[in-house]
């Protein structure tokens, strides 16, 4: 019996491993040759936002799933948080030192009430909710996570975005003292992400402050982390310190690093392969005592949230606007 058999790692698992090692290799390559890093988004002109109609029942049907939950210990030890290293288990060790309190968020740009606001004040009066969402990473693994937090729209509305607010840009803390991964100039730190305003205001878009009813651990993006369940996981930016309403499509970390592989929209789409691997299936890390023998299942368009979000993209060619 080979060592691989002995460890009960299936072929699918080996493939995934190759994928994320490949992604790490890309990071290393970019760190070695910063001149290769392309600036800005692949596409400059935004498509017009659509007027998607969604009933409250339709929205609510996306708030939960009966699928088996991923174990707390897997959600908190198998992470991507490159500010704390590129290995899956690095963040659960290295992020322990991230100071999450006090925490302030700067909100600005195209809005009537900009300001620098303490996290408690940002969340004050917004009703805490529980959501069970699928999380699909672009690398081909997925989880089912019970989050606690608040709808993103409830927080954003308080700042009264103007009609010029076509997009929302998010930024992660970048503190070299607390984040050892910042020494490597692979990603153009700070980590940045963005959503079109109608995506940000969608009822499924969520700001997580906890999981499994407990405060969010640092490695999962404490104290405030975006969750956009119909998009690849890299859109779900962690440890947010800045939110800006902007008129033009903002630069985002992975798109800046490799625009031909990571688009601005990055909706989960099994019909569009990553240039270097298939996106047709995923390795579901859930409902098992050993993540190495998790199931491989079919990936669904919009990660299974098409009923709720497909209307946002009516008229858009999703092969072009990936
Ligand atoms: N946010 C920041 N600031 N830095 C990161 O490296 N990784 C992203 C996303 N948010 C990342 C981030 C990626 S690639 C994924 S798949 C998810 O976080 C992983 O979230 P999890 O570790 O809670 O599963």
């Amino acid at each position: 019996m080979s060592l691989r058999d002995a460890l009960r790692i299936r072929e699918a698992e080996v493939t995934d491993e190759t994928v994320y090692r490949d992604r790490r290799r890309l990071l290393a390559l970019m760190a070695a040759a910063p001149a290769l890093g392309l600036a800005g988004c692949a596409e400059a002109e935004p498509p017009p936002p659509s007027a998607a109609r969604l009933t409250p029942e339709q929205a609510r049907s996306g708030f939960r799933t009966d699928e088996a939950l991923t174990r707390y210990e897997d959600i908190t030890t198998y992470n991507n948080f490159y500010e704390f290293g590129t290995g899956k288990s690095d963040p659960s060790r290295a992020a322990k030192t991230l100071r999450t309190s006090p925490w302030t968020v700067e909100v600005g740009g195209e809005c009537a009430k900009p300001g620098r606001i303490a996290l408690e004040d940002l969340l004050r009066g917004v009703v805490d909710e529980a959501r069970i969402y699928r999380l699909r990473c672009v690398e081909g693994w997925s989880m089912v996570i019970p989050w606690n937090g608040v709808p993103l729209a409830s927080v954003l509305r308080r700042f009264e975005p103007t009609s010029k607010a076509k997009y929302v840009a998010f930024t992660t803390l970048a503190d070299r003292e607390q984040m050892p991964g910042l020494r490597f100039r692979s990603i153009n730190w700070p980590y940045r992400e963005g959503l079109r305003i109608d995506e940000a205001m969608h009822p499924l878009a969520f700001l997580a402050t906890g999981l499994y009813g407990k405060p969010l651990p640092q490695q999962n993006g404490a104290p405030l982390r975006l969750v956009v369940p119909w998009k690849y996981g890299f859109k779900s930016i962690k440890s947010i310190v800045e939110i800006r309403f902007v008129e033009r499509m903002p630069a985002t970390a992975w798109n800046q690093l490799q625009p031909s592989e990571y688009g601005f929209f990055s909706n989960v789409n099994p019909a569009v392969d990553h240039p270097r691997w298939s996106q047709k299936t995923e390795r579901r890390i859930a409902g098992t005592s050993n993540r190495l023998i998790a199931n491989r299942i079919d990936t669904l368009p919009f990660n299974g949230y098409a009923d709720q979000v497909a209307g946002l993209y009516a008229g858009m060619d999703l092969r072009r606007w990936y």
Side-chain angles (χ1 to χ4, degrees), residues 187 231 269 312:
I187 282 174
K231 293 178 180 281
N269 190 349
L312 292 171

Side-chain angles (χ1 to χ4, degrees), residues 23 27 74-85 88 91 135-139 141 143 145 147 171-173 179 187 189-193 211 216-221 225-227 231-240 253-254 262:
R23 221 171 158 213
L27 283 170
D74 289 332
I75 299 172
T76 56
T77 59
Y78 190 86
N79 299 103
N80 277 338
F81 200 167
Y82 291 103
E83 287 86 334
F84 295 99
K88 289 286 178 277
L135 175 82
R136 166 62 155 87
C137 177
V138 75
E139 295 166 343
W141 53 268
M143 297 187 180
I145 305 182
W147 301 105
T171 308
T172 294
L173 176 76
M179 300 170 141
I187 282 174
W189 311 111
Y191 194 101
R192 294 186 182 86
E193 258 309 333
L211 59 87
L216 200 61
Q218 285 102 325
Q219 60 268 33
N220 294 92
R225 175 246 173 94
L226 183 66
V227 184
K231 293 178 180 281
Y232 289 117
F234 65 86
K235 298 292 292 180
S236 293
I237 182 171
K238 297 177 169 183
S239 306
I240 297 166
W254 281 94
Y262 306 103

Side-chain angles (χ1 to χ4, degrees), residues 65-71 132 143-145 212 284-288:
T65 163
D66 293 334
E67 290 155 278
L69 299 182
T70 301
R71 299 183 314 162
I132 302 175
M143 297 187 180
V144 181
I145 305 182
Y212 269 104
R284 172 62 57 84
I285 302 173
T288 165

Side-chain angles (χ1 to χ4, degrees), residues 100 102-105 117-124 209 223-224 240:
T100 57
W103 193 269
T104 52
V105 182
I117 183 165
L119 182 62
E120 310 79 81
D121 296 328
L122 185 81
L123 301 174
R124 185 158 296 139
T209 55
L224 189 70
I240 297 166

Side-chain angles (χ1 to χ4, degrees), residues 31-64:
L36 284 175
L38 297 166
C41 294
E43 305 278 355
E45 282 311 308
S50 57
R53 285 263 163 271
L54 192 66
T55 65
E57 296 73 41
Q58 264 179 316
R60 272 198 296 276
S61 67
F63 292 174
R64 319 194 68 75

